[in-house]
Amino acid sequence: MNVFYNQEGIGDVLMVLLKEGERHHQSVERTGDVAIVKSEDGSVNGYNLFQASEHFDVTGWNGPVDLTTELVEQIRTVLKKHGIEEDFSWVDVTPKFVVGYVESAEKHPDADKLSVCQVQIDQGTVQIVCGAPNVATGQKVVVAKPGAVMPTGLIIRPSALRGESSHGMICSASELNLPNAPQEKGILVLDNEYEVGTAFEIGR
């Protein structure tokens, strides 16, 4: 589940994306302040909640909105007021950008410029394929977990790179839109005082 709000770009609309669908095969049903976006097979891809500022405190929202248990419950309440019952029990509200620890970084068996890394995050150890030249065992790094929305709008998804599964992305400072980010290629390596598994605040 991903949530977006950009009043300047799209107006006072909270966009709730449950899953991606091909846009030219989608249909929209409107009921009050809610537009239901459906796939060709009738399943729900998401909702557009109009007059969002009347239902939510939109202060500071500009682009991807961080999911919290409170926000998910607020969205569910607005939908219920419009006669829509939606089960959000599956929604992951843990931070999508977290401090990770590179437990190992091995050369990809089928790609010279890729490394297969085992990275400890808040939910255990995951495998991430990384193309940065400076990734190494023992580093503390920033991990964008599956479901994370990058400042560019890119949504991070589980993938496979040259046959190796990858569950997230180890990020550079520029990818995180941090101020004064170096332009040279390479991941952001954090100082030791950062705690593994904690949330990391990115630029928007």
Side-chain angles (χ1 to χ4, degrees), residues 37-162:
V37 184
K38 294 185 175 182
S39 293
E40 194 173 22
D41 63 4
S43 61
V44 176
N45 289 340
Y47 301 96
N48 293 335
L49 308 184
F50 294 88
Q51 313 302 326
S53 60
E54 296 181 9
H55 304 288
F56 307 92
D57 179 4
V58 301
T59 304
W61 288 1
N62 183 25
V65 179
D66 291 332
L67 275 180
T68 63
T69 301
E70 180 183 12
L71 177 58
V72 172
E73 182 59 25
Q74 288 175 330
I75 293 171
R76 191 190 69 79
T77 298
V78 172
L79 293 177
K80 190 172 183 178
K81 286 180 180 178
H82 289 78
I84 302 167
E85 294 285 347
E86 180 68 65
D87 176 20
F88 289 131
S89 61
W90 55 272
V91 175
D92 178 10
V93 296
T94 60
K96 294 298 181 288
F97 294 90
V98 297
V99 177
Y101 177 78
V102 182
E103 297 178 341
S104 66
E106 304 291 341
K107 180 181 175 182
H108 192 293
D110 195 32
D112 290 339
K113 295 184 178 182
L114 297 178
S115 298
V116 180
C117 305
Q118 303 300 320
V119 186
Q120 181 186 350
I121 58 172
D122 57 330
Q123 296 171 310
T125 299
V126 296
Q127 178 167 292
I128 299 176
V129 179
C130 180
N134 64 325
V135 66
T137 300
Q139 294 172 331
K140 287 187 177 180
V141 297
V142 180
V143 174
K145 294 158 52 178
V149 181
M150 303 299 293
T152 60
L154 173 71
I155 300 175
I156 302 301
R157 305 190 183 286
S159 62
L161 298 174
R162 303 293 291 270

